[in-house]
Amino acid sequence: MKRFFKIAALVVVVLIFIWTFYYLWSKGQPVETTYETSKAAIADIEKTTIATGKIEPRNEIDIKPQISGIITEIYKEAGQMVQKDEVIAKVKVIPEMGELNAAESRVRVARINFEQAKTDFERVKNLHDEKLISTEEFDNAEATYKKNQEELSTAEDNLEIVKTGISKRSANASNTLIRSTITGLILDIPVKVGNSVILSNTFNDGTTIATVADMNDLIFKGNIDETEVGRLREGMLVNITLGALQDVVFDAKLEYISPKGVEQNGANQFEIKAAMHVPDSITVRSGYSANAQIVLQSAKGVLTVPESSLEFSGDSTFVYVLTDSVPTQQFDRRQITIGISDGIKIEVKDGVAEGDIIRGNQVNN
């Protein structure tokens, strides 16, 4: 029995020795390294930049009242179309006491002058009919009478405007009726019936009754970094993608590049604008967030390799071209001349040929 245990122990020791020897031997063997490969191929390359911004109508107008008062009627809602000069709302005038007293005083003075002129004219007319005064004196009295009559009528109209905002002479052009100044879509009506509104003057901007815009003329408005603004020029084609309509790409043309930058988050940003073309079948709303892709450089039908396969040494650029794959991969290091890149592919002007197999990343065994 003891002999059996001794033999078993000896076998175990021998097996451990053999396994250890094999492990150390395998670790000492060179590891075969393999790499991913790709072919140098003909392709188109575009170097682009992305500007972020939003969609706005080119012509967006705030409609403000010409008088101060209280909103009594609103005839339109946000989202409705409105024609130029169409009434949006109605304002009831709340007269200012100082203006009202002054207007009433002007009416009283004008009426006194008119009554006096009327009396004088009737007296002169009787004398003229009896041929006791000249025609010239009659004409002067008649002119004075008509002048005072007109002044009274004007003073009464001014009083009506102060009281109600409506003149008897121009009721159709009443300041109490708030009209759209353009044809377009109503984007917002920020007031309600009963709200007080004030007219725009040198001391305040006035109350906005409605915001109206021409939604058939939209622009992209965004910002681009100073490192790329120097490559832009007006007239460049732009591809617009919207956050709300991600499956649609809109064509646009760059039409404005700001001459002055604005610092944002430590970097200078320049405002750009691009005119959009929107098909009639698609509805685009004001304020949509958007990205504008602008092609800075392009090359058609050029030889390309993956940019990740490049090796840089000083001012030189190299790639490794496969020369043999049996029994292991063999590569030749070649210097190349490169062109533009889109971040994935890069143009190769010299050093490799179409179809050459280029070494990529190492494959871990």
Side-chain angles (χ1 to χ4, degrees):
M1 191 68 174
K2 291 182 179 180
R3 180 179 176 85
F4 172 77
F5 283 112
K6 287 180 179 181
I7 294 173
L10 181 61
V11 171
V12 171
V13 170
V14 171
L15 291 174
I16 292 175
F17 175 78
I18 294 172
W19 180 85
T20 303
F21 176 79
Y22 175 78
Y23 176 78
L24 295 175
W25 175 83
S26 63
K27 283 294 184 180
Q29 296 300 309
V31 177
E32 180 181 342
T33 303
T34 58
Y35 296 89
E36 296 177 348
T37 59
S38 60
K39 284 186 179 182
I42 301 297
D44 298 336
I45 294 182
E46 289 185 342
K47 182 177 178 61
T48 63
T49 186
I50 300 294
T52 59
K54 61 181 180 179
I55 304 303
E56 296 182 355
R58 186 189 302 276
N59 191 19
E60 181 175 321
I61 303 297
D62 289 334
I63 309 299
K64 299 177 183 291
Q66 296 177 339
I67 57 173
S68 299
I70 296 175
I71 298 291
T72 57
E73 297 284 347
I74 296 177
Y75 303 107
K76 295 289 184 178
E77 296 180 353
Q80 290 183 328
M81 290 295 298
V82 64
Q83 300 298 315
K84 182 179 179 180
D85 294 329
E86 189 174 355
V87 177
I88 296 176
K90 184 177 181 180
V91 174
K92 177 182 178 182
V93 175
I94 304 300
E96 197 273 326
M97 294 307 298
E99 292 183 0
L100 179 62
N101 290 334
E104 290 175 340
S105 176
R106 286 193 292 271
V107 170
R108 288 193 293 269
V109 172
R111 183 171 287 113
I112 291 172
N113 292 335
F114 170 71
E115 293 295 339
Q116 182 62 48
K118 181 179 180 181
T119 300
D120 292 343
F121 174 67
E122 290 175 350
R123 184 184 304 114
V124 170
K125 184 176 184 300
N126 291 332
L127 293 173
H128 181 263
D129 290 343
E130 295 175 4
K131 302 186 183 302
L132 298 176
I133 61 173
S134 65
T135 301
E136 182 179 358
E137 289 179 287
F138 172 77
D139 291 341
N140 289 337
E142 185 179 27
T144 301
Y145 167 70
K146 291 181 178 179
K147 176 182 176 182
N148 282 274
Q149 186 180 37
E150 180 65 23
E151 288 177 350
L152 175 60
S153 178
T154 300
E156 290 174 339
D157 275 346
N158 288 337
L159 177 59
E160 286 299 313
I161 291 174
V162 171
K163 283 183 176 181
T164 65
I166 303 175
S167 167
K168 292 180 180 178
R169 296 184 180 182
S170 55
N172 292 333
S174 169
N175 290 338
T176 62
L177 299 178
I178 312 304
R179 302 174 184 273
S180 176
T181 56
I182 64 170
T183 297
L185 182 72
I186 299 177
L187 301 182
D188 186 28
I189 297 182
V191 296
K192 298 179 180 179
V193 172
N195 285 163
S196 297
V197 296
I198 57 176
L199 77 165
S200 177
N201 54 38
T202 56
F203 300 103
N204 58 70
D205 293 333
T207 305
T208 298
I209 302 295
T211 301
V212 182
D214 180 4
M215 297 302 291
N216 294 319
D217 188 5
L218 298 177
I219 62 171
F220 166 84
K221 184 177 180 181
N223 295 301
I224 193 167
D225 191 82
E226 64 177 335
T227 58
E228 296 179 324
V229 71
R231 302 179 182 180
L232 302 184
R233 66 181 184 277
E234 294 178 0
M236 279 185 163
L237 297 180
V238 182
N239 293 325
I240 306 293
T241 56
L242 308 182
L245 302 170
Q246 298 183 7
D247 297 333
V248 184
V249 178
F250 298 90
D251 296 330
K253 182 178 290 187
L254 191 63
E255 63 178 20
Y256 172 78
I257 305 169
S258 174
K260 181 180 179 180
V262 178
E263 185 174 344
Q264 295 181 3
N265 301 322
N268 284 337
Q269 300 287 317
F270 289 79
E271 184 181 70
I272 62 173
K273 297 178 183 178
M276 287 181 59
H277 171 70
V278 180
D280 295 336
S281 59
I282 299 177
T283 300
V284 175
R285 303 182 187 278
S286 177
Y288 272 169
S289 61
N291 290 328
Q293 184 183 60
I294 307 170
V295 178
L296 301 177
Q297 288 179 288
S298 64
K300 304 293 184 181
V302 295
L303 186 63
T304 65
V305 298
E307 188 169 354
S308 60
S309 66
L310 301 186
E311 178 185 282
F312 298 95
S313 178
D315 295 333
S316 300
T317 307
F318 300 88
V319 293
Y320 289 85
V321 179
L322 183 69
T323 57
D324 197 356
S325 59
V326 179
T328 60
Q329 291 176 322
Q330 301 294 323
F331 296 95
D332 178 30
R333 187 171 185 254
R334 296 186 190 176
Q335 185 174 351
I336 61 173
T337 303
I338 58 176
I340 69 171
S341 168
D342 62 6
I344 298 176
K345 303 186 300 295
I346 189 166
E347 178 188 3
V348 179
K349 296 182 177 180
D350 185 48
V352 297
E354 182 180 2
D356 283 348
I357 298 177
I358 308 301
R359 190 181 79 178
N361 296 325
Q362 181 178 332
V363 177
N364 294 325
N365 291 329

